[in-house]
Amino acid sequence: MEQNNEDGSLSQVRHVVLVLSGKGGVGKSTITTELALALRHAGKKVGILDVDLCGPSIPRMLNVGRNDVHQCDSGWVPIYTDAQQSLALMSIGFLLEDPDEAVIWRGPKKNALIGQFVSDVAWGELDVLLVDTPPGTSDEHLSVLENLKKHRVDGAILVTTPQAVSTGDVRREITFCKKTGVRILGIVENMSGFVCPHCSECSNIFSKGGGEELAKLTGSVFLGSVPLDPLLTTSIEKGQDFIQSFPDSATFSAISSICQTLLTSLQTD
């Protein structure tokens, strides 16, 4: 459903999707990045709002170095990752003088920056804005939702790994979504098996199916599984477009399927 609201910075953004995880280290930012690339290759104009203040890793994943953030009459101008300006990014990583600098801020300062990120970025026309949030449920999440209240959030994607310790944390994330009125668009099981770089066979070095089982138990949509893939890892480390580079891989198929399921859900909302 096309959005219509009073917030000028988001007035041309059709859909807003939060990407959440119950804990760190489950590959939430990787899923956000690859989903954004898949959406772009599907012909969509995409934005990423990186509000993971303590770990703004998406600029590196998209091979975007430190950029000076400029302002226009409409607000901060996002950094575009391509000449066609089909993928826009705003991250706290652009505001740090030293990429190794720790963000040691108290709640009010964090919340003020999140407020600026949500309300003062001149996104222009976007089909989908993905909001990469910190792990867990914290003040930052509440600040994002509070500042987006003028602009309807379509829902959230929850990222987990197969193990019970991770899916248990995602249960709390589901409770957070229900208490705050955020629709759950679906669950992604990341690191679901390991793809051998020699024979491409997928082995379950962790457990498997925890995310899918959690989706069944909670009545949520299971969007799909993404394996541990050395090709994806290398692409992320080098800031390369995995979706473009390895279209024949099983991981590409998994990410593309998640992308198409998400688009269908957004279009029928």
Side-chain angles (χ1 to χ4, degrees):
M1 180 182 295
E2 188 166 353
Q3 317 253 1
N4 184 16
N5 66 83
E6 299 174 356
D7 189 344
S9 67
L10 294 167
S11 60
Q12 295 178 283
V13 177
R14 297 191 64 201
H15 302 286
V16 176
V17 176
L18 306 180
V19 184
L20 308 174
S21 66
K23 63 184 299 171
V26 301
K28 169 183 53 63
S29 295
T30 296
I31 294 297
T32 301
T33 300
E34 296 308 315
L35 187 55
L37 290 170
L39 287 166
R40 186 184 73 179
H41 286 295
K44 304 300 180 182
K45 294 192 72 172
V46 189
I48 301 177
L49 179 60
D50 181 8
V51 292
D52 191 349
L53 303 185
C54 296
S57 55
I58 289 184
R60 175 176 177 175
M61 292 180 176
L62 290 172
N63 196 27
V64 179
R66 185 182 181 277
N67 284 267
D68 293 327
V69 176
H70 302 287
Q71 287 191 316
C72 65
D73 292 340
S74 303
W76 289 346
V77 180
I79 305 301
Y80 293 96
T81 65
D82 59 330
Q84 295 76 28
Q85 296 190 351
S86 58
L87 179 51
L89 170 65
M90 178 56 72
S91 170
I92 190 179
F94 299 142
L95 306 181
L96 300 177
E97 293 184 6
D98 181 354
D100 296 327
E101 180 182 347
V103 181
I104 307 175
W105 293 351
R106 293 190 182 275
K109 190 171 183 180
K110 289 182 180 181
N111 296 340
L113 179 61
I114 289 172
Q116 281 188 289
F117 268 28
V118 172
S119 62
D120 294 347
V121 178
W123 292 107
E125 184 178 348
L126 292 179
D127 293 304
V128 182
L129 176 64
L130 300 174
V131 183
D132 185 48
T133 66
T137 55
S138 62
D139 279 354
E140 288 95 319
H141 299 81
L142 294 174
S143 294
V144 169
L145 293 175
E146 177 70 19
N147 284 282
L148 283 171
K149 65 182 180 182
K150 294 180 182 179
H151 186 89
R152 186 177 65 85
V153 176
D154 287 81
I157 293 173
L158 309 183
V159 181
T160 184
T161 51
Q163 306 97 310
V165 67
S166 180
T167 58
D169 289 332
V170 173
R171 286 177 183 270
R172 288 184 281 276
E173 203 78 45
I174 291 172
T175 302
F176 171 83
C177 289
K178 290 180 177 179
K179 286 185 175 181
T180 54
V182 176
R183 174 188 170 208
I184 298 172
L185 295 171
I187 295 174
V188 173
E189 182 176 300
N190 195 27
M191 306 183 193
S192 182
F194 172 75
V195 177
C196 176
H198 304 292
C199 67
S200 298
E201 181 180 348
C202 189
S203 303
N204 297 323
I205 56 174
F206 300 133
S207 57
K208 183 175 176 62
E212 186 171 8
E213 183 64 24
L214 178 62
K216 291 178 181 178
L217 290 174
T218 59
S220 306
V221 174
F222 182 64
L223 293 174
S225 302
V226 178
L228 278 168
D229 188 336
L231 295 176
L232 175 58
T233 302
T234 301
S235 297
I236 286 290
E237 288 292 322
K238 294 183 177 179
Q240 296 174 339
D241 187 340
F242 172 83
I243 302 297
Q244 183 178 43
S245 301
F246 302 101
D248 297 326
S249 70
T251 305
F252 168 89
S253 298
I255 295 170
S256 295
S257 176
I258 292 170
C259 172
Q260 290 304 317
T261 302
L262 173 62
L263 283 175
T264 299
S265 177
L266 294 176
Q267 289 165 359
T268 56
D269 183 18

